[in-house]
Amino acid sequence: MPSGKRGRFPVGTAVLEAARTLGVYVESVCGGRGICGRCQVEVQEGRFAKHGITSSNDHISEFGPKEQRYAEKRDLKEGRRLSCSATILGDLVVDVPQDVQINAQVVRKDADTRIIERNPAVRMCYVEVEEPDMHKPLGDLDRLKIALENEWGVRDLEVDTYLLANVQRILRKGEWGVTAAIHYDEETARPTMIGLWPGLKNEAYGIACDIGSTTIAMHLSSLLSVRTIASAGTSNPQIRFGEDLMSRVSYVMMNPDGREGMTLAVREAINRLIDKVCAEGGVAREDILDAVFVGNPIMHHLFLGIDPTELGGAPFALAVSGAVHLKSSEIGLPMNPGTRVYMLPCIAGHVGADAAAATLAEGPHRQDEMMLLVDVGTNAEIVLGNRQRTVAASSPTGPAFEGAEISGGQRAAPGAIERVRIDPVTLEPRFRVIGTEQWSDEPGFNEAVQASGITGICGSAIIEVIAEMYLSGIISEDGVVDGSLVAKSPRVRATGRTFSYLLHEGSPAITITQNDVRAIQLAKAALYAGIKLLMDKLGIDHVDQIRFAGAFGSFIDPKYAMVLGLIPDCDLDKVQAVGNAAGTGARMALLNRNYRREIEDTVTRIEKIETALEPKFQEHFVYAMAMPNKIDPFPKLSKAVTLPPRKNVSEDGVAGDATPRRRSREDRATRRNRE
């Protein structure tokens, strides 16, 4: 337990051997010598009707010398046994305790849980090496290799060059007992010894890092227990070179040292994050032996020091699309001298390793239902498919969803409005601010926001306020603010030739202008048009599941995303935010090298659709400017939300029927998109 695997074994079989035979990985760094303590288990006593057995401590061998020695020198909790020493004498139910459980890590994945079987690329192997003998002229390293082959099955071992000068010193310091870190990665590659320590070393760590265009997220995990030891995040300092990806490519094009500056900036930020997670987890940088990185293609290239200029225009050629293997020291990330770095493959020119990692985490390619996976950002990445066929695309949504190009927009921070509701009768709003639990119409709200103030509106609230304005009739399906409502509510105000909606009257006043609505329409139409192209390619008219990935996706309310027309119609209970799925995929690749092979194979079978070359993109885009959509029905959404009757409002805010001037408005939207 808790895996629930069972089997029959001869009396006298070691519990550790039985566990491994069943595919339950129980760690034993010391090779069964009873000195590492990693293989602890507990016997559950009683009658287990489910299994049809009675389990008892009488059915396991008595404490042996190895267990007694470990209990005396270290600490073996009451009821615990070392599975390498304890043997089976009868029926047993054996628990792998949570604090030493390393065979499984529960990953949040929608309604179910998924087990990540532990199989990292780095393995810690303790051996006792035969001492030198005048009659056996083998070198110390050769005898170490023989010991590793005999005790751990490590054959054809390569050795990092930096270790050669240290092998003899380490062997003698450890009195011929040493722990070797063996790195396995590519299936065809020979194992490599990347680290060597005197005596028993019971620690090894890895980092998984998602390099986003806006934020960088990092997780420090134990390679022996698979637990996340610490997590940290920071803003990507490249923002100072450009808000979105294309502006950063332009910066490189216009500045001879632009690429070097951005590469240095992101590596310095990652180094600071490594220091931060190490300090939080009480881990030395030298104990980090493996690292996995993901990012969109431009972040991928800049992190590796590759000029991203070719990604700035068709055919959007990647310098390298496959997985990348290198040493951390080669890219300015000093950890252990032998630390390896693995970067997941990119799917295509603007669908990167982060989308590949999210695909690995959510697994549309593993199921029968049609899943839509969307990472909403300045450049939305879209993956759609199932086990039969999977397609992918990117769509240039721009930075509007992150607060840029919005009059009161800002990044998510204390003081930013994050949730909005509008009364459809009075048109009065209520909202919630980051850092405050109360809504604006609840007692204590004003006191709660005194420290942060009300400073702006972030992406999740931008989606909600536009959707709420549509549901309450403030804007038409075409996104025009209805000026006739000036007489009904003082919150609808004339702003030159157009009208706006006052969300918060204060300092600063937060107003949703006609231009704000248009910016969101353009962004959501670009995303929806990309999704529709993928649906066309697969010949489908609906999706079964939708997953929002990314930090921003975690805060999007699925109902409002659908009302806005950001995503196609779907059962709302099958639309879920999955958080930083790219980071989860990176952790999966860190903790189990089999996932590296899986995504490398999967990427070769994902078909990339280039939206810029698809003739129907403009048609889909124009229809998607409307809320939720000009022609696509939303029957499942209509069951959950009362959509307002269609009405047309001219550009100057005059309400009318739903037919006049439609073509001219669509033509203007097309021109804006081309620009």
Side-chain angles (χ1 to χ4, degrees):
M1 303 297 287
S3 65
K5 295 185 178 181
R6 59 184 293 176
R8 293 182 178 273
F9 302 91
V11 170
T13 302
V15 175
L16 177 62
E17 181 183 342
R20 288 183 171 175
T21 301
L22 292 173
V24 178
Y25 196 96
V26 177
E27 184 63 65
S28 179
V29 174
C30 66
R33 290 179 174 81
I35 59 177
C36 72
R38 289 278 179 183
C39 65
Q40 296 178 33
V41 295
E42 294 176 350
V43 173
Q44 299 299 309
E45 292 195 283
R47 177 67 185 171
F48 291 83
K50 176 182 177 182
H51 305 299
I53 65 171
T54 297
S55 175
S56 168
N57 274 306
D58 294 333
H59 297 169
I60 195 168
S61 62
E62 295 181 355
F63 258 63
K66 289 189 288 186
E67 291 174 291
Q68 291 174 354
R69 185 176 66 246
Y70 183 87
E72 291 169 0
K73 291 188 175 182
R74 303 200 182 187
D75 179 34
L76 192 60
K77 295 179 182 178
E78 186 176 351
R80 295 282 179 91
R81 301 298 301 272
L82 297 183
S83 62
C84 65
S85 177
T87 58
I88 299 168
L89 302 180
D91 291 342
L92 290 172
V93 172
V94 179
D95 266 359
V96 181
Q98 183 66 37
D99 59 315
V100 296
Q101 187 184 130
I102 58 170
N103 60 295
Q105 171 71 26
V106 176
V107 176
R108 180 180 177 274
K109 183 185 180 291
D110 311 324
D112 66 330
T113 57
R114 184 151 41 100
I115 301 300
I116 299 179
E117 185 178 341
R118 177 192 177 278
N119 185 23
V122 175
R123 184 179 178 188
M124 303 296 281
C125 303
Y126 174 81
V127 291
E128 292 176 356
V129 180
E130 184 179 350
E131 297 186 30
D133 190 321
M134 291 284 289
H135 302 288
K136 297 178 181 179
L138 278 178
D140 288 350
L141 179 58
D142 298 289
R143 281 181 280 104
L144 172 58
K145 288 182 177 180
I146 290 172
L148 287 166
E149 181 172 353
N150 290 340
E151 298 190 31
W152 293 93
V154 180
R155 296 178 177 84
D156 300 321
L157 180 67
E158 295 183 343
V159 180
D160 269 4
T161 305
Y162 87 94
L163 287 172
L164 296 178
N166 300 311
V167 168
Q168 290 189 310
R169 175 184 58 81
I170 294 171
L171 282 169
R172 284 157 180 78
K173 185 177 180 181
E175 297 180 349
W176 307 102
V178 294
T179 303
I182 309 299
H183 180 264
Y184 302 81
D185 196 351
E186 298 172 274
E187 288 182 340
T188 57
R190 294 166 61 183
T192 304
M193 185 165 69
I194 63 173
L196 187 66
W197 296 266
L200 174 69
K201 184 170 180 61
N202 235 353
E203 296 175 336
Y205 300 92
I207 55 173
C209 185
D210 174 21
I211 308 172
S213 56
T214 304
T215 58
I216 304 172
M218 180 178 291
H219 307 285
L220 173 69
S221 296
S222 168
L223 299 180
L224 301 182
S225 71
V226 305
R227 282 185 181 76
T228 299
I229 307 300
S231 298
T234 187
S235 297
N236 190 329
Q238 292 178 346
I239 290 174
R240 66 176 181 264
F241 299 101
E243 185 75 22
D244 56 52
L245 296 174
M246 286 300 103
S247 62
R248 295 180 203 177
V249 174
S250 298
Y251 184 88
V252 172
M253 291 177 176
M254 295 184 292
N255 296 273
D257 58 350
R259 197 278 304 157
E260 290 85 352
M262 278 194 273
T263 295
L264 180 62
V266 73
R267 289 180 181 176
E268 286 179 344
I270 289 171
N271 268 314
R272 288 192 295 271
L273 276 182
I274 295 173
D275 286 335
K276 187 173 182 179
V277 294
C278 284
E280 182 180 330
V283 171
R285 282 181 76 122
E286 293 73 21
D287 287 337
I288 298 175
L289 302 179
D290 201 10
V292 174
F293 290 88
V294 300
N296 62 58
I298 292 173
M299 294 300 97
H300 172 283
H301 278 33
L302 288 171
F303 172 63
L304 292 175
I306 300 171
D307 190 326
T309 300
E310 292 298 325
L311 293 169
F316 310 109
L318 290 156
V320 54
S321 57
V324 176
H325 307 258
L326 39 79
K327 290 184 178 182
S328 65
S329 58
E330 296 172 344
I331 52 173
L333 301 178
M335 289 179 271
N336 188 285
T339 300
R340 293 311 200 256
V341 166
Y342 174 82
M343 288 202 76
L344 271 68
C346 292
I347 296 175
H350 282 294
V351 186
D354 53 349
T359 301
L360 178 62
E362 292 307 306
H365 58 289
R366 302 188 200 107
Q367 57 187 317
D368 296 321
E369 286 194 324
M370 193 63 64
M371 177 189 284
L372 172 65
L373 177 61
V374 183
D375 189 341
V376 184
T378 55
N379 185 68
E381 294 171 313
I382 315 162
V383 179
L384 174 65
N386 57 17
R387 69 173 75 252
Q388 301 299 322
R389 186 183 178 193
T390 307
V391 293
S394 63
S395 201
T397 54
F401 289 132
E402 296 181 347
E405 301 179 356
I406 304 297
S407 58
Q410 69 165 84
R411 297 195 183 280
I417 295 174
E418 62 172 343
R419 292 282 179 258
V420 178
R421 302 291 182 267
I422 297 176
D423 187 299
V425 177
T426 65
L427 304 187
E428 282 298 303
R430 64 190 193 97
F431 51 82
R432 199 170 71 186
V433 173
I434 294 177
T436 304
E437 292 298 321
Q438 296 98 327
W439 285 74
S440 59
D441 60 344
E442 293 178 346
F445 173 80
N446 291 330
E447 293 78 10
V449 299
Q450 278 185 350
S452 64
I454 301 174
T455 56
I457 183 168
C458 69
S460 60
I462 291 168
I463 289 176
E464 291 190 8
V465 73
I466 301 296
E468 282 278 322
M469 288 170 69
Y470 168 61
L471 291 174
S472 59
I474 296 172
I475 57 176
S476 67
E477 66 166 345
D478 289 328
V480 180
V481 180
D482 187 351
S484 66
L485 296 177
V486 168
K488 180 178 180 180
S489 171
R491 291 191 175 273
V492 180
R493 301 179 173 185
T495 311
R497 294 180 55 191
T498 61
F499 294 85
S500 61
Y501 177 75
L502 179 65
L503 178 60
H504 169 63
E505 187 168 15
S507 181
I510 300 172
T511 302
I512 308 301
T513 68
Q514 184 65 68
N515 286 338
D516 294 338
V517 177
R518 283 287 179 257
I520 293 299
Q521 283 183 280
L522 292 168
K524 73 101 174 180
L527 176 57
Y528 192 91
I531 294 170
K532 285 290 291 184
L533 284 177
L534 296 189
M535 294 174 68
D536 291 345
K537 289 295 179 181
L538 294 179
I540 61 174
D541 60 6
H542 72 282
V543 297
D544 300 309
Q545 303 178 52
I546 300 177
R547 299 291 180 266
F548 276 118
F552 176 51
S554 299
F555 297 97
I556 296 176
D557 186 312
K559 179 180 74 174
Y560 289 107
M562 205 174 293
V563 169
L564 191 66
L566 192 67
I567 51 176
D569 192 48
C570 184
D571 286 331
L572 284 173
D573 60 358
K574 291 193 174 183
V575 184
Q576 296 182 15
V578 292
N580 184 12
T584 299
R587 286 191 66 243
M588 291 169 66
L590 174 70
L591 299 173
N592 190 326
R593 61 194 179 102
N594 292 338
Y595 285 121
R596 304 183 186 190
R597 306 293 84 79
E598 177 184 334
I599 195 58
E600 288 168 12
D601 175 66
T602 301
V603 162
T604 63
R605 292 183 282 108
I606 295 177
E607 303 169 45
K608 171 62 168 63
I609 309 302
E610 184 51 64
T611 56
L613 303 179
E614 294 293 328
K616 288 199 71 175
F617 181 85
Q618 288 297 330
E619 179 183 339
H620 286 316
F621 178 87
V622 169
Y623 291 143
M625 284 289 289
M627 284 176 273
N629 191 277
K630 184 67 72 176
I631 61 172
D632 286 352
F634 280 74
K636 294 175 182 176
L637 174 65
S638 298
K639 292 179 181 179
V641 178
T642 301
L643 297 176
R646 292 190 166 186
K647 68 176 178 178
N648 184 70
V649 179
S650 64
E651 294 289 350
D652 55 7
V654 178
D657 62 39
T659 53
R661 301 182 64 179
R662 180 178 300 160
R663 175 53 54 191
S664 63
R665 187 155 35 257
E666 291 172 358
D667 290 342
R668 281 193 292 277
T670 302
R671 287 199 301 274
R672 285 194 185 96
N673 186 52
R674 288 202 184 103
E675 291 170 0

